[in-house]
Amino acid sequence: MSFSLARGMIIARREYLSTIRRKAFVFSLLLTPMVFGLVTAIQVLTASDEAKQALKIGSIAVVDSAGLLGSAPRKFETEVLNKDDATRRLKAKAEPKRVPTTIEFFPDQVSALAALKSGRVSQVLVVPPDYLARGQLRRFKLSNNLFSSSDERAVGRWLARSLVANAVDSVRADRASRPLSGIQLFTPTKSGEYELHDESRELIDFFVPFGMGLLLSIAIVTGGQYLLQGVSEEKESRILESLLCTVTSEELMFGKLVGLGGAGLTLVAAWTLMGSYFVAPLAMAGKFHMSPLLLAFGVLYFMLGYLFYASLMTGIGAIATNLREANQMAILFTFANFVPFYMLPKIIGHPDSGLAVALSLFPLTAPTSMLMRLAATDVGVPAWQIGASLALLAGAAWLAVVISARVFRIGLLMYGKSPTLPEIIRWARQG
């Protein structure tokens, strides 16, 4: 029986419709972005509130055993952004709220710590007699966590200003405490010219490559997981035996690749549209424009990456005896797809590094890694690297389709025990 595209599309349509009509599919479609959005919002708001609370220092007790801070100002202000930090930062028009902090001098450490314990001050700063020679300070606080150290910079600026207060004028002292506050950073564009770096886009510069890589990984894994689950369940229930009486194994594999993969893509596409509704205002505020070339590469890498991973998942589903065993065998490939996220700082911070280049050429990590590199760099990825990455990924995808088709043809009718590695290799060579 020769391959028939019409029969393959009938199977694809049946697999797609039966999958999207399931209650589990609808729940995943609606609940997953809601839960993810809720958890993210709680994390962001909690972290932001903790950081702002840490900057509201209140009052500091200072013990000046070195006698260096006699002319120090008894008050300073700390800038704290409001609740809509992200949007206002992108707009670069935020006027931060200034929170005052008062300085109270104490004759010794004992009395200062007593004031700290009673709640009169929020922390104690002790300047020892040999501070100029050794540079060591002692700071006391009642609590400490990840965000409670964010006030150290504000205290450091006050101390720097105070140390030179008698030697220079107030303007010079303020500049000495914040020497880089007005610095302008220029970075190269893709045309080779330098332009002023827009600090309001720092969040976008991070989240665009991260978001595109994450979306691509989820799309590939979701489509592959639907295939793995569908093939394993139908093999375990022996439905495939009846199907093979009327269609060929190639038509069945084609239909499942298109139908179950399409169901997974529908899920990801719906999540993308939901996320775009909330992300669009931030992107507009940051003046971000998606490059058509970047979008085209995203589609190309998705197609090749999905074909590669989906073929692997189909072959695994055919040789496994049940769904649990299939998941255990597939976890290695699923993990490999997310390896670039463990190297995220290196890929985004140094997209031309050896590690980033290697990950973008290796087929298992190429789709996510190369897409993050393309989105992260302003100077562009060398054309030969893109061509080599696509060629290697296409070759790996073609090889995965051929091997999986051969394994799929034989493995569908194997029951009772999982085949050994030599048996799988023999099926791949002779199937």
Side-chain angles (χ1 to χ4, degrees):
M1 187 184 297
S2 61
F3 176 82
S4 171
L5 180 61
R7 286 195 295 266
M9 291 305 299
I10 291 174
I11 297 173
R13 183 165 58 252
R14 180 261 176 190
E15 295 287 352
Y16 178 80
L17 294 177
S18 63
T19 301
I20 66 172
R21 289 171 180 171
R22 294 178 181 176
K23 293 182 180 179
F25 183 90
V26 178
F27 285 145
S28 298
L29 180 67
L30 299 177
L31 293 183
T32 300
M34 292 174 60
V35 172
F36 180 78
L38 180 62
V39 171
T40 303
I42 292 175
Q43 288 178 333
V44 171
L45 292 176
T46 302
S48 177
D49 184 66
E50 286 292 328
K52 287 185 288 185
Q53 291 298 326
L55 290 173
K56 296 179 180 179
I57 304 171
S59 180
I60 300 178
V62 176
V63 180
D64 184 18
S65 302
L68 300 172
L69 306 177
S71 302
R74 265 50 176 178
K75 184 178 181 180
F76 68 89
E77 294 182 337
T78 305
E79 297 180 351
V80 180
L81 291 177
N82 295 322
K83 290 184 177 180
D84 52 344
D85 293 346
T87 304
R88 297 171 71 89
R89 180 178 176 83
L90 285 173
K91 291 181 179 179
K93 298 178 181 179
E95 287 295 335
K97 181 181 178 182
R98 297 182 179 274
V99 179
T101 298
T102 58
I103 306 297
E104 187 173 352
F105 283 84
F106 285 78
D108 52 55
Q109 181 175 308
V110 175
S111 59
L113 291 179
L116 176 63
K117 186 176 181 179
S118 65
R120 179 177 168 185
V121 297
S122 62
Q123 56 183 282
V124 174
L125 182 66
V126 178
V127 184
D130 58 350
Y131 170 66
L132 288 181
R134 302 182 60 187
Q136 292 183 346
L137 294 170
R138 294 193 298 271
R139 195 155 68 112
F140 299 84
K141 299 175 68 174
L142 293 179
S143 63
N144 187 50
N145 55 48
L146 179 63
F147 298 99
S148 62
S149 61
S150 59
D151 59 347
E152 187 173 325
R153 183 181 300 177
V155 176
R157 285 199 299 262
W158 172 82
L159 183 60
R161 189 185 305 115
S162 303
L163 288 173
V164 298
N166 291 328
V168 299
D169 58 83
S170 59
V171 175
R172 193 179 296 270
D174 185 65
R175 284 288 175 267
S177 66
R178 297 186 299 174
L180 301 180
S181 60
I183 192 171
Q184 292 181 320
L185 175 63
F186 290 83
T187 54
T189 63
K190 292 184 178 181
S191 61
E193 299 179 356
Y194 284 86
E195 67 176 7
L196 183 63
H197 179 70
D198 186 2
E199 292 185 357
S200 65
R201 287 194 53 192
E202 286 183 351
L203 290 175
I204 288 181
D205 290 341
F206 172 80
F207 281 111
V208 166
F210 173 78
M212 292 191 70
L214 181 62
L215 183 62
L216 182 64
S217 295
I218 292 176
I220 291 174
V221 170
T222 302
Q225 195 64 31
Y226 270 106
L227 278 162
L228 183 70
Q229 181 178 351
V231 174
S232 299
E233 289 180 348
E234 291 185 359
K235 180 184 176 182
E236 194 172 357
S237 62
R238 304 206 171 187
I239 296 177
L240 295 178
E241 292 183 3
S242 301
L243 292 175
L244 290 175
C245 294
T246 55
V247 297
T248 64
S249 59
E250 291 81 4
E251 294 166 351
L252 185 59
M253 181 176 174
F254 172 83
K256 288 189 173 296
L257 279 173
V258 176
L260 293 175
L265 297 184
T266 301
L267 204 62
V268 175
W271 291 343
T272 304
L273 292 176
M274 294 178 190
S276 300
Y277 177 80
F278 298 99
V279 175
L282 296 179
M284 293 177 63
K287 298 179 181 179
F288 172 76
H289 301 285
M290 175 68 72
S291 168
L293 188 60
L294 179 61
L295 189 60
F297 277 126
V299 173
L300 188 57
Y301 270 103
F302 164 74
M303 293 175 62
L304 293 176
Y306 168 73
L307 185 61
F308 177 53
Y309 274 94
S311 299
L312 292 176
M313 295 300 178
T314 304
I316 292 173
I319 63 177
T321 57
N322 53 59
L323 181 58
R324 182 177 63 180
E325 183 179 306
N327 284 323
Q328 291 173 348
M329 297 172 65
I331 191 171
L332 178 63
F333 298 103
T334 303
F335 174 77
N337 189 43
F338 287 96
V339 163
F341 292 99
Y342 293 94
M343 316 293 180
L344 188 65
K346 190 71 172 180
I347 295 175
I348 294 182
H350 303 280
D352 56 346
S353 64
L355 177 62
V357 173
L359 289 174
S360 62
L361 294 177
F362 185 51
L364 285 172
T365 56
T368 305
S369 300
M370 182 58 82
L371 197 60
M372 286 196 292
R373 288 184 64 201
L374 290 170
T377 179
D378 290 329
V379 297
V381 177
W384 73 265
Q385 293 182 12
I386 300 177
S389 175
L390 288 172
L392 290 172
L393 182 58
W398 176 82
L399 190 62
V401 170
V402 172
I403 293 177
S404 295
R406 294 177 178 179
V407 172
F408 186 81
R409 183 182 302 118
I410 301 175
L412 286 180
L413 300 178
M414 296 290 293
Y415 296 95
K417 71 178 186 70
S418 299
T420 62
L421 183 59
E423 288 177 330
I424 297 174
I425 295 176
R426 187 170 65 252
W427 295 353
R429 294 176 57 185
Q430 302 175 359

